Amino acid sequence: MDLQELVDRSWAIRQAYHNLEVKYHDSKWTVEEDLLALSNDIGNFLRLVMRKQGRYYDEIPHTLEQKLSENIWWLVELSQRLDVDILTEMENFLSDKEKQLNIKTRR
């Protein structure tokens, strides 16, 4: 999967969730509610990392891989709601870091 497909599929999934939010709660979640959901998922991800390292007990019904992917999904979704072109901004970020750290890329 390329990054544009990731963005497109993430957006379609979020729109389906928005439809459910409207159906059951009469309005879509706000950006702040999305951030709250992300912060909850980050907490779950942290516990899964701790569990993998033997520092937390097994109570979470998700896998580390699922939660990591879900957190990336939330960030992609939030970038669109905040009008941030995540593909361009990631390219800029990576290019800046490569330049800063004198990393030669094979592009």
Side-chain angles (χ1 to χ4, degrees):
M1 169 175 38
D2 69 13
L3 291 176
Q4 187 59 56
E5 182 182 357
L6 170 73
V7 170
D8 294 343
R9 290 172 68 189
S10 294
W11 185 246
I13 290 167
R14 191 65 188 104
Q15 293 313 303
Y17 276 119
H18 281 318
N19 292 339
L20 291 172
E21 293 156 7
V22 169
K23 180 178 179 179
Y24 293 107
H25 304 288
D26 298 321
S27 65
K28 295 189 286 187
W29 278 11
T30 64
V31 171
E32 293 83 2
E33 288 170 310
D34 282 357
L35 284 166
L36 181 61
L38 169 62
S39 67
N40 182 63
D41 285 332
I42 289 171
N44 287 329
F45 177 65
L46 289 169
R47 284 187 283 284
L48 287 163
V49 169
M50 289 174 66
R51 180 172 76 189
K52 183 174 182 157
Q53 299 191 359
R55 304 294 293 166
Y56 197 77
Y57 53 93
D58 191 0
E59 69 162 359
I60 301 165
H62 310 286
T63 67
L64 179 71
E65 296 81 4
Q66 288 170 325
K67 275 299 156 189
L68 179 58
S69 298
E70 187 173 13
N71 286 319
I72 292 168
W73 174 79
W74 272 119
L75 293 171
V76 169
E77 189 276 328
L78 283 162
S79 73
Q80 293 184 338
R81 290 199 73 188
L82 297 169
D83 294 321
V84 172
D85 180 344
I86 194 64
L87 299 178
T88 298
E89 294 307 320
M90 283 303 302
E91 174 61 34
N92 293 341
F93 171 80
L94 294 171
S95 293
D96 288 348
K97 290 299 173 189
E98 288 164 345
K99 182 189 277 185
Q100 191 177 52
L101 298 168
N102 198 29
I103 297 171
K104 307 289 186 228
T105 61
R106 295 181 182 177
R107 284 184 268 156

